[in-house]
Amino acid sequence: MNLLIVLALVGLMHAARTFDAGGAHATTLAFGFVLLAAFFAGRIFASLRLPKLTGYIATGIAVGPAVLGLLSPELIHDLEIVDGVAIAMIALTAGNELDLRAFRPLLRSIQWITLWAVIGTALLLGAAVFAMQGLLPFFDRLSLLPALAVALVMGVVMSAQSPAVVVALRDEMEADGPMSRTVLGVVVIADLVVILLFAATSSLAQSVIGAPGDFSDTLSLLTWEILGSLTSGVLVGAIIAAYLRFVGRNGALFVVTVCFVAAEVGSRLHFDPLLVALAAGVLIRNATRQGDVLQAQIELASLPVYVVFFAVAGAHIDLRLLASVALPATAIVAVRGIGLVLGSRIGAHLAGSPEVVKRWAGFGLLPQAGLALALAALFVKTFPEFGAEARALVLGVVALNELVAPAIYRWALVRSGEAGRREAAEAVAELVEEAQPAA
């Protein structure tokens, strides 16, 4: 039945596009079509024991310019308005999950895994890119030292993880436990680490290439982005918490509106909506009593936003571009996967983590999406002479990870035994909280 519904939606969309290819309501039509088609495709994938998330992305690929062409590049651009809202809501959820008191026992694991898996993989990827110079024509114009520095920057960009995918899969699988909590902590901290590493390595590359003035502007922009985003995030968190406490009505609509404003206004001020919302969520969870209320309101409003967001991400995947960089991109995806899984096991072993964390946490670091794409765009601005060519490789790596990594992490959640445990964990937490006053 789900398949028949998807086919019917595709047929209706094709007919509508034939009769009114560029009408005034094209964007509204596209939004409704993508939402419904991706939602039912996600149910098909779930029946096949694959992540719904992969179904959303696959739908975007199928209806985008690369395959059926039901969504033109112009329509895809119009639908990107959902991106900022979705990223902000996902980051708000991730931040709201970071109960610092609850995560304190996992802090040692998070630190060691971040060091070995995230930073170690960035260095490993840099070495892999440098070793594959012969397959990457833009390196032909660089001498030895500049090539090494640029490869290191690219390694940092491609080491980025995706809190968006991790949160979405954890919610879909209703997972809870030391492994899934550790993964969430690592991917959130890794975003900050990768941004700082990008600033440092791009500094080195710019100075080696001979344009330190350009790096100065880049460093100033990144500093403003990080500090400004975190500061404004504290303000946004205070506003949301105050509304949920003193007003409460239509909380889901208010949260979506705040996320939209934070994303749109923040982008014009060169703030990162992910960092803004992350700081807001951390503040609400740890400095107020509105964390559970916020989570409930996000769950009410998030599904349509997430469905369209991941479908649009799939529509951006250019299969021809992916084919042109298939060999180096596949090799880098393999190196990245080995580095993250092996580095995670080393870090977890050194931290004395539970066995479930040692065995499975590395698979949660594989998904990749927004931050890598954002840094790739900044890479183009920082290195305009060859940035566009390097960006093609990054897009190929991200595309492959978007298609494969969610299914791998879903498998890890199931094999670790943490899938479906959230309800039980919440029940235990409530019992403990009720018992504390009596104690």
Side-chain angles (χ1 to χ4, degrees):
M1 180 60 70
N2 290 320
L3 179 59
L4 291 176
I5 293 174
V6 172
L7 292 176
L9 288 168
V10 169
L12 290 172
M13 183 63 179
H14 176 70
R17 293 276 292 155
T18 300
F19 288 111
D20 187 16
H25 303 292
T27 302
T28 304
L29 175 65
F31 183 93
F33 166 69
V34 168
L35 174 59
L36 291 174
F39 173 77
F40 285 106
R43 295 179 66 173
I44 294 173
F45 273 66
S47 68
L48 299 174
R49 297 188 177 182
L50 293 171
K52 291 180 181 178
L53 191 66
T54 304
Y56 305 154
I57 294 172
T59 301
I61 296 174
V63 303
V67 183
L68 297 178
L70 296 178
L71 297 181
S72 65
E74 292 76 20
L75 283 177
I76 294 172
H77 176 74
D78 291 340
L79 292 176
E80 286 176 357
I81 193 171
V82 177
D83 289 4
V85 182
I87 290 173
M89 290 183 68
I90 288 166
L92 189 63
T93 302
N96 192 48
E97 290 290 336
L98 286 178
D99 186 333
L100 298 181
R101 289 168 295 182
F103 271 80
R104 190 172 293 117
L106 303 174
L107 188 58
R108 181 176 172 85
S109 297
I110 292 172
Q111 289 174 335
W112 279 103
I113 292 174
T114 300
L115 175 62
W116 281 91
V118 179
I119 299 178
T121 299
L123 296 173
L124 184 63
L125 286 171
V129 171
F130 184 75
M132 288 189 288
Q133 289 182 66
L135 299 175
L136 304 171
F138 62 88
F139 273 103
D140 293 343
R141 69 195 74 168
L142 298 173
S143 58
L144 178 62
L145 197 55
L148 183 60
V150 169
L152 185 58
V153 180
M154 292 187 65
V156 169
V157 171
M158 291 185 291
S159 69
Q161 282 86 54
S162 175
V165 177
V166 168
V167 171
L169 277 174
R170 186 211 56 182
D171 291 345
E172 178 183 327
M173 302 297 295
E174 296 184 349
D176 190 68
M179 187 275 284
S180 53
R181 292 187 181 189
T182 300
V183 168
L184 178 61
V186 171
V187 296
V188 169
I189 298 301
D191 269 357
L192 293 174
V193 171
V194 168
I195 290 172
L196 294 174
L197 283 176
F198 180 84
T201 54
S202 62
S203 162
L204 174 64
Q206 284 281 18
S207 61
V208 168
I209 291 173
D214 292 337
F215 162 71
S216 174
D217 295 337
T218 301
L219 182 59
S220 298
L221 178 62
L222 283 170
T223 302
W224 165 259
E225 179 176 327
I226 294 170
L227 296 180
S229 297
L230 295 177
T231 302
S232 61
V234 171
L235 177 61
V236 169
I239 292 172
I240 294 176
Y243 183 91
L244 294 177
R245 179 181 178 184
F246 296 109
V247 181
R249 293 173 298 177
N250 300 317
L253 178 61
F254 182 79
V255 170
V256 172
T257 303
V258 170
C259 288
F260 177 80
V261 172
E264 293 300 312
V265 175
S267 64
R268 287 161 175 76
L269 296 175
H270 300 290
F271 292 162
D272 184 344
L274 189 147
L275 293 179
V276 172
L278 182 65
V282 171
L283 176 80
I284 293 170
R285 171 58 66 182
N286 294 279
T288 76
R289 297 181 178 180
Q290 305 304 313
D292 292 337
V293 178
L294 174 63
Q295 186 61 35
Q297 298 304 319
I298 291 176
E299 289 176 357
L300 287 175
S302 61
L303 180 60
V305 177
Y306 290 174
V307 170
V308 176
F309 169 67
F310 287 110
V312 171
H316 276 292
I317 297 176
D318 187 336
L319 297 181
R320 288 174 297 181
L321 174 63
L322 191 58
S324 68
V325 295
L327 182 58
T330 302
I332 288 173
V333 167
V335 171
R336 181 178 180 273
I338 293 170
L340 290 174
V341 172
L342 186 59
S344 176
R345 291 190 178 185
I346 294 173
H349 177 75
L350 293 174
S353 305
E355 187 64 27
V356 68
V357 176
K358 295 177 185 177
R359 292 188 63 185
W360 304 109
F363 298 103
L365 308 184
L366 299 180
Q368 193 172 42
L371 180 60
L373 298 178
L375 291 179
L378 188 55
F379 187 95
V380 175
K381 296 179 182 178
T382 308
F383 305 99
E385 300 84 1
F386 51 83
E389 299 171 65
R391 183 184 183 186
L393 175 62
V394 176
L395 291 177
V397 171
V398 173
L400 288 173
N401 281 318
E402 281 184 330
L403 291 173
V404 177
I408 295 176
Y409 186 40
R410 183 190 187 281
W411 169 77
L413 287 171
V414 172
R415 291 298 302 272
S416 69
E418 295 192 1
R421 285 179 51 186
R422 179 184 297 181
E423 186 175 345
E426 290 176 349
V428 171
E430 289 178 3
L431 289 174
V432 171
E433 186 174 346
E434 291 174 0
Q436 282 178 345

